[in-house]
């Protein structure tokens, strides 16, 4: 597994998500580890090795999640998205790639192949570069944004091409892995863990 350094500010930011579009392009490569000082390198999918973040969420300490989603709320079988010990999916457009890592400091997260905006707190995350991408993560009942330079949340290709991302989670479908639920929608992907999580799309991102 590749070792990557998580560094980048992690901030809780709330944005309205009404009418947000998912993406406008899928041309940039995959991404994975958070850092603004890491050596530049192409973003590629692969099994991540957790690394401790350099900054913690600013809205208080994470607490163990309660009232987790029921397995009965899922509309797909998570085993169809399993790759080894992890679970990966991508949006129908391929612009949002997500992974349930559920170990170390990674938890569940999604990253964007391309994005139109980034949170003000991560304005230095230059997503026009091939080795930078915006991501969001929920872990231990707390959510945060990340600037990543590798594909922590990008699964291996499943369609015979070199493009990573895992199987497609169609619009309206919900996958649940170990108490964390993610739903794919035309407006983006929402991941929820005991009432905390994120909504991520190309034109808007939100933590809750």
């Amino acid at each position: 597994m590749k070792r990557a350094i998580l560094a980048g500010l992690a901030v809780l930011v709330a944005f309205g998500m009404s009418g947000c579009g998912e993406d406008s392009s899928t041309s940039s490569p995959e991404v994975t580890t958070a850092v603004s000082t890491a050596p530049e390198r192409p973003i590629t999918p692969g099994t991540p090795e957790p690394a401790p973040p350099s900054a913690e969420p600013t809205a208080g300490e994470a607490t163990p999640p309660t009232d987790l989603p029921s397995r009965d709320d899922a509309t797909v079988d998570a085993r169809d998205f399993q790759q080894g010990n992890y679970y990966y999916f991508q949006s129908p457009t391929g612009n949002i790639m997500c992974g349930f890592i559920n170990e170390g400091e990674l938890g569940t997260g999604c990253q964007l192949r391309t994005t139109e905006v980034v949170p003000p707190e991560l304005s230095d995350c230059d997503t026009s570069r091939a080795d930078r991408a915006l991501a969001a993560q929920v872990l231990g009942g707390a959510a945060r944004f990340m600037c990543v330079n590798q594909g922590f949340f990008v699964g291996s290709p499943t369609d015979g091409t070199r493009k990573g991302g895992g199987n497609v989670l169609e619009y309206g479908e919900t996958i649940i892995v170990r108490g964390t639920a993610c739903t794919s929608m035309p407006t983006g992907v929402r991941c929820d863990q005991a009432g905390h999580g994120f909504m991520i799309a190309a034109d808007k991102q939100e933590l809750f």
Side-chain angles (χ1 to χ4, degrees):
M1 294 195 291
K2 292 184 178 179
R3 184 77 181 177
I5 304 172
L6 293 172
L9 290 175
V11 191
L12 293 177
V13 184
F15 289 90
M17 290 302 300
S18 58
C20 57
E22 188 175 314
D23 75 314
S24 58
S25 171
T26 59
S27 59
S28 58
E30 290 86 284
V31 262
T32 27
T33 188
V35 358
S36 58
T37 58
E40 295 186 11
R41 53 185 167 184
I43 292 168
T44 56
T47 303
E49 179 175 337
S54 62
E56 297 298 325
T58 58
E61 296 182 359
T63 56
T66 58
D67 299 327
L68 297 176
S70 167
R71 186 178 300 179
D72 295 336
D73 296 328
T75 62
V76 298
D77 189 335
R79 291 172 296 183
D80 293 336
F81 299 83
Q82 187 170 3
Q83 296 184 17
N85 295 326
Y86 309 127
Y87 301 79
Y88 298 96
F89 70 88
Q90 61 181 304
S91 63
T93 64
N95 194 49
I96 305 176
M97 299 158 290
C98 306
F100 296 83
I101 310 304
N102 295 320
E103 67 177 36
E105 298 293 331
L106 291 178
T108 297
C110 296
Q111 58 195 71
L112 296 169
R113 189 178 300 276
T114 63
T115 184
E116 300 167 19
V117 298
V118 297
E121 292 78 1
L122 290 183
S123 59
D124 60 342
C125 184
D126 184 2
T127 56
S128 66
R129 294 171 48 179
D131 66 340
R132 290 291 184 272
L134 177 65
Q137 170 212 59
V138 60
L139 174 65
R144 67 173 187 161
F145 290 125
M146 305 164 64
C147 185
V148 303
N149 67 357
Q150 289 184 25
F152 274 164
F153 305 115
V154 179
S156 298
T158 59
D159 58 0
T161 70
R162 297 183 63 186
K163 175 186 174 298
N167 289 337
V168 172
L169 188 67
E170 299 293 346
Y171 295 142
E173 292 183 338
T174 297
I175 179 174
I176 298 178
V177 177
R178 296 172 188 170
T180 302
C182 290
T183 300
S184 175
M185 299 172 285
T187 52
V189 170
R190 175 189 172 102
C191 291
D192 189 299
Q193 184 184 90
H196 296 282
F198 60 85
M199 178 81 165
I200 190 167
D203 59 358
K204 281 189 180 180
Q205 304 87 35
E206 176 186 47
L207 303 178
F208 55 86

